[in-house]
C-alpha cells in the first residue's frame, strides 16, 4: 500500500484547522449569545459530513485504506483534545467544547461522541467493501445523505416545530430523552430525495423497492436508536437495506 502523498496531508491539515476554527466560533456563539448547543452541535454535524467532500475539490487526493485509517485516527485526536483535564487547563479548548456539550448529555458528552464515531467506522468499512465489490460505491452517498442531512435536521426541526413527542434512552444511562415525529419525518423525506437523486443507478424494480423499504426502515431506526448513537445504527440498517435492494 502506498503511503499518502503531500496532497493528502495538505487536505487533512486544512480540514482539521477548519474544524477547530469552527468549534471555536460555535463555542463563542454559545458562550456570548446564549444560542442553544443543540443548534451549534448540528452545525458541527453538517461540517463533519460535508466539509471533507467540499475540500476535496480544492485539495484532491487519492483515497485508500490507509487514508481512511489515518482520517479516523486524526478525528479521534481532535476529540481527544476535549478530555476534561485539557479543556479545563486550556481556555480555547473549553470554549470549543461548549459547541457540542449539551447540558442534558453531561457527563457522557465526550464518551457518546467517541463511541458513536468508532462504532460508525466499524460499520462503514464493510459497507464500503460490499458496495465496491458491486462497483456501486457511489450509492454509499444515500445513507450518508440520510444521516448527514435527515438526521442532522431532525433535532433542530423537532425543537422548532415538534408537537408530537416520544421518548428514547441512551447507552450507559437510564435517563429518557425526547424526540418528535416531526423531526423523524426529516429522515423519511431525505431518504426519498436521496433515492430519487440516484435513481439512474437502480433498475426499475430496485428503485421501487428502495422507495418502499429504505425511507420507512431508516425512519424507524432513527426513532428507536439510542440518544446520540443514531449514526452506527443508521449506517448498519441503511447499508443492509441498500444491499437487500440491490439483490432484487
Amino acid at each position: 500500500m502506498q503511503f499518502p502523498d503531500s496532497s493528502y496531508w495538505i487536505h487533512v491539515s486544512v480540514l482539521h484547522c477548519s474544524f477547530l476554527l469552527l468549534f471555536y466560533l460555535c463555542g463563542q456563539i454559545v458562550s456570548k449569545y446564549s444560542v442553544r448547543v443543540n443548534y451549534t452541535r448540528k452545525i458541527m454535524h453538517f461540517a463533519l459530513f460535508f466539509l471533507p467532500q467540499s475540500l476535496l475539490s480544492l485539495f484532491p487526493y487519492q483515497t485508500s485504506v490507509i487514508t481512511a485509517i489515518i482520517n479516523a485516527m486524526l478525528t479521534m485526536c481532535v476529540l481527544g483534545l476535549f478530555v476534561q483535564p485539557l479543556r479545563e487547563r486550556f481556555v480555547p479548548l473549553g470554549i470549543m467544547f461548549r459547541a457540542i456539550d449539551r447540558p442534558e448529555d453531561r457527563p457522557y458528552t465526550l464518551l457518546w461522541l467517541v463511541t458513536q464515531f468508532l462504532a460508525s467506522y466499524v460499520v462503514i468499512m464493510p459497507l464500503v467493501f460490499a458496495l465496491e465489490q458491486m462497483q456501486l460505491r457511489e450509492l454509499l452517498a444515500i445513507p450518508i445523505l440520510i444521516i448527514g442531512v435527515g438526521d442532522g435536521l431532525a433535532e433542530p426541526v423537532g425543537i422548532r416545530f415538534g408537537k408530537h413527542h416520544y421518548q428514547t434512552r441512551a447507552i450507559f444511562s437510564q435517563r429518557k430523552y425526547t424526540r418528535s415525529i416531526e423531526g423523524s419525518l426529516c429522515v423519511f423525506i431525505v431518504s426519498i430525495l436521496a433515492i430519487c437523486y440516484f435513481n439512474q443507478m437502480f433498475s426499475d424494480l430496485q428503485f421501487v423497492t428502495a422507495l418502499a423499504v429504505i425511507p420507512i426502515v431508516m425512519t424507524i431506526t432513527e426513532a428507536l436508536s439510542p440518544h446520540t448513537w443514531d449514526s452506527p445504527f443508521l449506517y448498519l440498517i441503511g447499508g443492509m437495506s441498500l444491499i437487500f435492494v440491490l439483490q432484487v
Side-chain angles (χ1 to χ4, degrees):
M1 293 185 182
Q2 185 176 2
F3 197 73
D5 59 17
S6 59
S7 61
Y8 169 76
W9 295 109
I10 294 172
H11 175 95
V12 295
S13 297
V14 173
L15 175 64
H16 288 286
C17 285
S18 300
F19 276 145
L20 291 174
L21 177 60
L22 191 56
F23 267 116
Y24 187 80
L25 292 176
C26 287
Q28 289 283 27
I29 291 172
V30 172
S31 301
K32 294 186 176 181
Y33 302 102
S34 300
V35 173
R36 293 184 65 162
V37 181
N38 306 73
Y39 296 126
T40 57
R41 187 181 170 105
K42 289 307 174 182
I43 292 174
M44 298 309 305
H45 172 93
F46 289 125
L48 177 64
F49 276 90
F50 300 114
L51 186 57
Q53 294 301 315
S54 300
L55 287 177
L56 270 177
S57 61
L58 297 174
F59 307 100
Y61 68 90
Q62 183 64 44
T63 59
S64 66
V65 174
I66 291 181
T67 58
I69 294 173
I70 295 175
N71 288 342
M73 293 174 62
L74 290 174
T75 302
M76 289 298 296
C77 288
V78 170
L79 292 175
L81 293 173
F82 300 137
V83 294
Q84 188 170 353
L86 288 178
R87 68 176 187 260
E88 288 182 349
R89 182 172 181 179
F90 300 100
V91 174
L93 293 178
I95 293 173
M96 292 177 190
F97 188 64
R98 290 172 196 167
I100 55 174
D101 185 27
R102 290 181 298 205
E104 63 267 28
D105 290 354
R106 299 169 187 163
Y108 301 111
T109 302
L110 193 57
L111 176 63
W112 284 340
L113 283 173
V114 170
T115 54
Q116 177 180 227
F117 174 78
L118 290 174
S120 296
Y121 237 82
V122 169
V123 174
I124 289 172
M125 297 312 293
L127 177 57
V128 170
F129 177 78
L131 291 175
E132 282 186 340
Q133 294 298 108
M134 300 178 185
Q135 298 183 337
L136 291 170
R137 183 174 178 176
E138 295 86 350
L139 288 179
L140 182 64
I142 291 179
I144 288 176
L145 285 171
I146 294 171
I147 298 167
V149 179
D151 186 44
L153 289 174
E155 183 176 4
V157 168
I159 291 172
R160 180 67 179 84
F161 303 105
K163 303 296 183 184
H164 304 86
H165 298 101
Y166 60 93
Q167 291 185 321
T168 186
R169 293 188 181 273
I171 60 172
F172 313 125
S173 172
Q174 293 301 311
R175 181 175 177 178
K176 293 182 179 180
Y177 293 85
T178 300
R179 289 176 177 161
S180 73
I181 293 175
E182 290 81 1
S184 294
L185 280 175
C186 292
V187 175
F188 185 81
I189 293 169
V190 172
S191 297
I192 293 174
L193 294 176
I195 293 166
C196 289
Y197 183 81
F198 288 96
N199 71 87
Q200 73 280 1
M201 302 192 70
F202 297 107
S203 69
D204 291 342
L205 179 57
Q206 288 173 343
F207 178 64
V208 172
T209 305
L211 284 177
V213 173
I214 294 177
I216 294 175
V217 168
M218 293 297 273
T219 303
I220 293 174
T221 300
E222 187 272 338
L224 298 179
S225 295
H227 176 69
T228 78
W229 244 68
D230 315 67
S231 294
F233 287 98
L234 287 169
Y235 275 123
L236 176 63
I237 302 302
M240 291 173 62
S241 301
L242 189 58
I243 291 173
F244 165 75
V245 167
L246 293 173
Q247 303 303 315
V248 173

